[in-house]
Amino acid sequence: MASGSYNFFAEGDLLLAKVTPCFENGKKALAQGLSCGVGYATSEVHVIRTDTRRIDPRYLLYVLSSEDFRAVGMASMTGAGGLRRVSEHAILNHRVPVTDLFTQNAIAEFLDRETAHIDQLIAKKERQVELLHRRARQAVAELVTGAAVEGAATLQTRLDHIPRIPAHWSLQRAGHLFRQVTEPNTGDLPVLSVSIHRGISDRQLDDEERDRKVNLIEDRSSYKRVRPGYLAYNMMRAWQGAVGVSSVDGAVSPAYVVAKPTCDLHSPYYQFLLRTPPFIEQMRQGSKGITDFRLRLYWEQFRLIMLPVPPLEEQRRIAGEAEQELNHADEAADKVARSVELLKERRAALITAAVTGQIDIREKLPAVTTKPDRSKFRVIVGAEIVHRHQGNPKFGRVKLQKELYLAEAHLGIDGLQGNYLREAAGPLDRALIDETERGLEAAGFYRASQRDGTGTAVTYAPLAKAGQHKAELETLLGSKANELRKLITALRDLDRREVEAVATLYAVWNDALMDGEEPDDTAVINGVLTEWHTEKGEKFKADDLSRWLGWMKRQGLTPRGQGPRTAHTTTRDMFG
């Protein structure tokens, strides 16, 4: 264990959060890949250094993640409120269930694999939740700005934040629709909770929330009264969308501006409108301050914001439909969130069962102690690609690299373990292509050569064992071997420029899916031309990429948001 105001740690040490609620939330890490081999952590972290002759650090990390250890740690906590800490003795005295180093290693391997699978499912479901909310917010934005009214006549506003509105709507400044009011709190009104996600809640804060979210003082006379239909916004968080309309009598902090409608309007419509990105940006631009967290939006600036004014009945209809959109997204997201919680519980139970011997890990030893041979995958898959392109004048190093990328990203041949950069010629992993070519030659399959010197076309000459990789290919890939052959056949007639276009389009689309987005063709094409590499805009036109995107769809070469993600880079392209 380490001590002091800062804790020193080194490569291979375990870091365990000691303070609540971080400990209960499972905050811990194994220090790996440190640039200097050492580092410093806050004093609120326990640093644990293992004797690797007796304890596998990865196994111990799982022990510290088990429900048994968490219960012991929580029971040992001392302190008050939010400053309770796990005792150092609870860690030092905790009995490690398994003492055999070989079994520890096997358990760690097993849990690495099984928890990775669960974590992927959790990440996928969490992206679903974000996508559900994003779609709902987009639908609400289209409703409140009139963009969802199909075929209706529109007029130009000459405003950047809302350039067009339906012709039967009008525009008014916020100060013409609302006026600031400061009604004193009577002292017995509930303090309302306010969220940057859904506005003002009609329930009162409980004691714990009130302590955490409200600067509670004995005299609440400075708090402001909010009546049903009044609009309120947090001056310090308006730039994040902290604005809402109350449905009950209540009180809000002095940090809020409260505004009363001046005319016959439906306030909830303006709550939904002001929480859309263009109007949040208007509030940010009107805020005064040096940095984001010091910005304040005063009434004098808020009242100047131009707001659309639909007919009253249309305001009610739009607000009702917006509420339905958000409620539907919440209901669907809640179902997904419950499944995420079940997966997390399953993960915790699996870890506890494995480290305490409730699972007979011996039955799983052959599977978990043998890691995929990355070099073998690269050589054998590379040999199949080169073999099937023998005699093809359109084949070379660029095409080999792009087909290796697609084999991993599209077919899921993750044994290739590529680390692809966004280079000028598309997804590129220099180490992968170098290891593949060296391995092909060492195995006696093929030799890469550049007869006209560095920087010229690469060809692959067959060696004594060319074509003798097929049995090993079937063993490594199983049914995916046939899928690989189909992929190679589909790409066979594409030249260097064409296969580069296809692989880059695939990567942009796949990366977006992994971010929880659902990009249309225009977004994918723009991603290639403007977000990949500076040379893409010089090489391709949007029409070229659109044609190849259509070809990919016809071939079934469309991504699913899985596999390796490409990374931005500014380094020189070896194919350039």
Side-chain angles (χ1 to χ4, degrees), residues 67 75 107 151 157 178 189 205 252 293 305 333 338 350 357 360 391 457 554:
E67 295 166 341
I107 291 172
T157 66
F178 297 90
L189 291 173
L205 292 177
V252 293
F293 288 98
I305 298 174
R338 284 196 293 273
L350 178 68
D360 188 356
R554 292 191 298 274

Side-chain angles (χ1 to χ4, degrees), residues 40 96 115 140 158 165 208 226 262 269 330 363 470 482 548 560:
Y40 288 92
V96 178
T115 58
V140 169
R158 297 183 180 178
I165 59 173
E208 182 180 349
V226 179
T262 61
Y269 165 78
D330 284 345
E363 298 177 358
K470 296 180 181 179
N482 194 44
W548 284 110
R560 295 177 291 275

Side-chain angles (χ1 to χ4, degrees), residues 421-491:
L421 302 179
R422 291 191 166 196
E423 291 287 13
L428 168 66
D429 181 341
R430 290 177 176 81
L432 181 151
I433 199 69
D434 182 60
E435 184 176 0
T436 300
E437 289 180 345
R438 285 189 285 105
L440 287 172
E441 183 170 357
F445 293 146
Y446 301 95
R447 177 184 292 119
S449 64
Q450 291 175 291
R451 286 178 294 184
D452 297 325
T454 303
T456 63
V458 176
T459 59
Y460 296 92
L463 300 177
K465 294 184 179 179
Q468 296 181 28
H469 65 281
K470 296 180 181 179
E472 200 160 5
L473 180 76
E474 299 292 340
T475 301
L476 278 179
L477 302 190
S479 61
K480 288 184 180 180
N482 194 44
E483 295 178 32
L484 177 62
R485 296 184 190 102
K486 290 179 180 178
L487 175 67
I488 297 168
T489 300
L491 299 171

Side-chain angles (χ1 to χ4, degrees), residues 13-16 26-32 50 55-66 69 111-112 351 355:
D13 287 350
L14 297 175
L15 309 179
L16 176 69
K27 301 296 184 183
K28 63 184 68 67
L30 174 61
Q32 291 179 308
T50 63
I55 298 290
D56 184 322
R58 294 177 305 150
Y59 168 73
L60 184 57
L61 187 67
Y62 283 119
V63 170
L64 300 179
S65 301
S66 68
F69 174 75
L111 288 174
D112 281 349
I351 291 172
V355 300

Side-chain angles (χ1 to χ4, degrees), residues 62 110-127 339-351 359:
Y62 283 119
F110 167 72
L111 288 174
D112 281 349
R113 184 186 67 185
E114 295 301 317
T115 58
H117 177 64
I118 295 173
D119 289 343
Q120 287 174 359
L121 291 175
I122 291 173
K124 185 176 182 179
K125 288 179 178 291
E126 288 176 339
R127 287 197 299 270
S339 69
V340 168
E341 289 306 310
L342 289 173
L343 283 170
K344 289 180 178 178
E345 290 174 10
R346 175 184 164 193
R347 187 184 192 278
L350 178 68
I351 291 172
I359 297 175

